[in-house]
């Protein structure tokens, strides 16, 4: 109860201060942000070669990796009330799984899958770093698991409407819509011939995983719809954002309150902030591949995040499925994983793990293999 009161008080204070802060923000000039797209062009040749190498490794390991897409409505039926535009969009990503697992699905076996939601400054690429030993979806497939990685609405390959028409509750609703489509096989596969069966795979058991504010999204989906079999919350907590995280949040909010760039803004101001805020003990190759991919985020998601925290601390206690909490020991963004875990009083099984030396972006840390092992082991134990 003490943790809940602290969280409510903190969030309420931030919300109360927001109008005054917003007035100040509007009166000042927005900061200048380096363009990561220009940096991406400079690294394009290396990135393409790395992506080709990834595909060759997966083919050699008999891993199916196919593009998929989901038609969703940007609506919000969750408990985290916030405004959305109500339009229909396409969410794109990849289905990655051992061929043997999909052959079993085609033969009628019960098959699980995990939907992965990236964080505020990432995209699907967070789960698909094209360096050997760091590609999360590949590594989980090598350990026997099926993954769906996506670009959320407003990111990279998925549709990108004005970012003011999105919100954190809407993102959670879309995660639920994708969950339903995974269960009934009503999504589109870009290369059906790559699949072992004649029909789009359907999955009886669906787990949700989310990194950073992707963790908040999956929490909202879980307590609003009660339609998933387990959660993996990675580097998110409603109780312990660091001073650095709060400072960057409100700086980015300033840009959003000016309308952003078609409703989008960067959480980290330039490549240096992006690196120091997310990457710790990271191989140079992984940094070279990752840093140019920094994403801007929909401003509507950011503006609605504090209200989402208020709902979280009231309702995560209603989540009644197993939950794994995973944190980088050196994260510059979040702290207090055990306090966050304590709010999940209805979950039959909660577990907190910490990856030594890892920063906010665990998948790109030198100790990433430990994180992959822990995630795969937890899914094994939960039937995922």
């Amino acid at each position: 109860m003490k943790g809940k009161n602290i969280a409510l008080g903190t969030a309420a204070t931030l919300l109360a201060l927001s109008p005054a802060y917003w007035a100040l923000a509007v009166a000042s000039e927005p900061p200048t942000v380096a363009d990561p797209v220009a940096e991406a062009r400079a690294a394009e040749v290396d990135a393409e070669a790395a992506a080709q190498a990834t595909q060759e490794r997966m083919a050699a390991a008999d891993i199916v990796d196919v593009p998929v897409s989901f038609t969703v409505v940007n609506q919000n039926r969750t408990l985290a009330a916030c405004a959305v535009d109500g339009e229909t969009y396409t969410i794109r990503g990849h289905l990655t799984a051992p061929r043997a697992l999909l052959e079993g699905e085609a033969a009628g076996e019960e098959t699980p899958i995990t939907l992965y939601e990236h964080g505020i400054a990432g995209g699907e690429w967070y789960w698909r770093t094209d360096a050997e030993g760091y590609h999360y979806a590949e590594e989980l497939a090598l350990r026997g698991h099926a993954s769906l990685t996506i670009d959320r609405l407003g990111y990279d390959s998925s549709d990108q409407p004005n970012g003011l028409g999105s919100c954190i509750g809407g993102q959670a609703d879309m995660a639920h819509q994708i969950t339903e489509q995974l269960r009934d096989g009503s999504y589109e596969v870009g290369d059906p011939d790559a699949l072992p069966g004649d029909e789009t795979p359907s999955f009886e058991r669906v787990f949700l995983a989310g990194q950073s504010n992707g963790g908040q999204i999956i929490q909202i989906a879980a307590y609003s719809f009660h339609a998933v079999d387990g959660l993996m919350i990675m580097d998110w907590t409603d109780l312990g954002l660091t001073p650095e995280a709060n400072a960057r949040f409100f700086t980015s909010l300033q840009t959003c309150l000016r309308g952003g760039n078609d409703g989008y803004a960067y959480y980290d101001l330039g490549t240096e902030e992006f690196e120091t805020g997310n990457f710790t003990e990271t191989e140079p190759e992984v940094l070279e591949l990752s840093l140019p991919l920094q994403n801007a985020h929909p401003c509507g998601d950011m503006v609605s995040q504090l209200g989402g925290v208020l709902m979280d601390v009231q309702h995560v206690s209603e989540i009644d499925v197993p939950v794994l909490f995973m944190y980088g020991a050196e994260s510059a963004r979040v702290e207090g994983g055990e306090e966050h875990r304590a709010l999940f009083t209805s979950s039959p099984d909660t577990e907190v793990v910490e990856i030594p030396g890892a920063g906010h972006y665990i998948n790109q840390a030198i100790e990433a293999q430990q994180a992959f092992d822990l995630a795969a082991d937890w899914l094994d134990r939960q039937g995922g």
Side-chain angles (χ1 to χ4, degrees), residues 43-57 130 285 289:
E44 184 176 0
V45 175
D46 289 341
E48 289 180 356
Q52 180 61 35
T54 298
Q55 291 304 309
E56 292 172 358
R57 288 195 309 271
D130 286 314
E285 178 190 5
L289 288 166

Side-chain angles (χ1 to χ4, degrees), residues 14 34 101 143 150 155 164 169 212 249 254 270 312 335 352 365 383:
L14 288 172
L101 189 73
R143 292 160 172 79
I150 62 168
Y155 289 82
L164 296 174
S212 193
F249 177 93
Q254 170 182 326
D312 289 348
E335 56 193 4
V352 176

Side-chain angles (χ1 to χ4, degrees), residues 30 36 45 105 127 140-141 146 152 194 239 257 287 302:
V45 175
E105 185 280 331
W127 311 103
L140 267 287
R152 286 161 33 191
L239 301 182
L257 291 168
L287 277 176
M302 169 166 277

